[in-house]
Amino acid sequence: MTTEPELPVVVPYDTAWPERGRELCAELGAALGPLALLVQHIGSTSIPGMAAKPVYDLQVRVTDLDEAETAFAGPLADLGFRLSPYRRDHVPAGLDDHPSRWAKRFWSRRGTSADPVNLHVRLDGSPNERLALLFRDWFRTHPEAVPAYAHFKYALASRVADTGTYADVKDPVVDLVVAVAEAWAAETGWTPEPTV
């Protein structure tokens, strides 16, 4: 069975996203049980005012990816999620970091009556878990940067044919944001707080 590439569609911010993100985190936390140490709303739908693909990005903190993959398979399948073969995140430019430190498990839910979700399962304390939260929190505290990033996403989505290309082109821009966000984190003493 072949599937058509998913087109990147960016829409204006929806004020319902934060509350729905909290509800989805609670639902998944209950379904996944104690191996899911924390479920958090990340990505553009978690940033006030940000245009986004209308897909919720959620992050699950775990202590063992293989154990989580096995334990989560049934509950997530029951909720309409499919496991992706994609098993790590992009390592930001300029980091001399082994790709294995950026390991994750990734499930997605599309084509059902339920909300579309990208579910990123990452190790507690890993650099990719931290980066997702830093990116979100930097934009939350710098609303003046939101329109520029949103404009970039609109322009990019109108020029590429699939979400894979969209993500690949977006990665270096995320790297630039994170470089600025890291300086902000150092100045302010920011740490990833356990919040949704």
Side-chain angles (χ1 to χ4, degrees):
M1 181 178 111
T2 60
T3 58
E4 291 295 316
E6 184 180 349
L7 295 175
V9 176
V10 174
V11 300
Y13 180 72
D14 185 333
T15 57
W17 286 342
E19 180 59 29
R20 186 62 188 136
R22 282 188 288 276
E23 292 168 358
L24 288 166
C25 287
E27 290 168 16
L28 280 167
L32 298 178
L35 290 182
L37 303 178
L38 185 63
V39 184
Q40 296 172 284
H41 186 194
I42 59 168
S44 291
T45 59
S46 72
I47 299 167
M50 182 67 77
K53 289 188 284 109
V55 177
Y56 292 90
D57 281 282
L58 305 180
Q59 176 168 269
V60 179
R61 178 183 294 172
V62 299
T63 58
D64 185 296
L65 288 173
D66 291 330
E67 180 183 25
E69 181 177 351
T70 300
F72 294 171
L76 288 175
D78 291 344
L79 293 170
F81 284 86
R82 289 187 168 183
L83 179 63
S84 166
Y86 185 63
R87 299 179 76 82
R88 72 173 180 86
D89 286 308
H90 156 82
V91 178
L95 282 188
D96 185 21
D97 211 354
H98 195 277
S100 64
R101 294 194 64 225
W102 295 75
K104 74 173 182 181
R105 299 297 181 268
F106 179 72
W107 279 265
S108 64
R109 180 170 65 192
R110 301 288 192 283
T112 72
S113 60
D115 292 299
V117 173
N118 290 329
L119 186 66
H120 309 263
V121 178
R122 295 177 172 129
L123 286 173
D124 185 14
S126 64
N128 47 347
E129 179 204 29
R130 180 184 179 278
L131 184 142
L133 300 172
L134 174 61
F135 181 85
R136 178 196 70 186
D137 291 356
W138 184 84
F139 269 114
R140 284 180 172 178
T141 59
H142 294 83
E144 69 279 6
V146 167
Y149 188 64
H151 178 76
F152 160 71
K153 293 197 306 174
Y154 280 125
L156 177 58
S158 72
R159 288 170 175 80
V160 298
D162 61 86
T163 55
T165 303
Y166 176 88
D168 289 344
V169 174
K170 192 163 59 88
D171 278 344
V173 176
V174 171
D175 293 351
L176 289 170
V177 171
V178 169
V180 173
E182 287 291 4
W184 167 79
E187 289 170 11
T188 63
W190 174 90
T191 59
E193 293 296 322
T195 62
V196 295

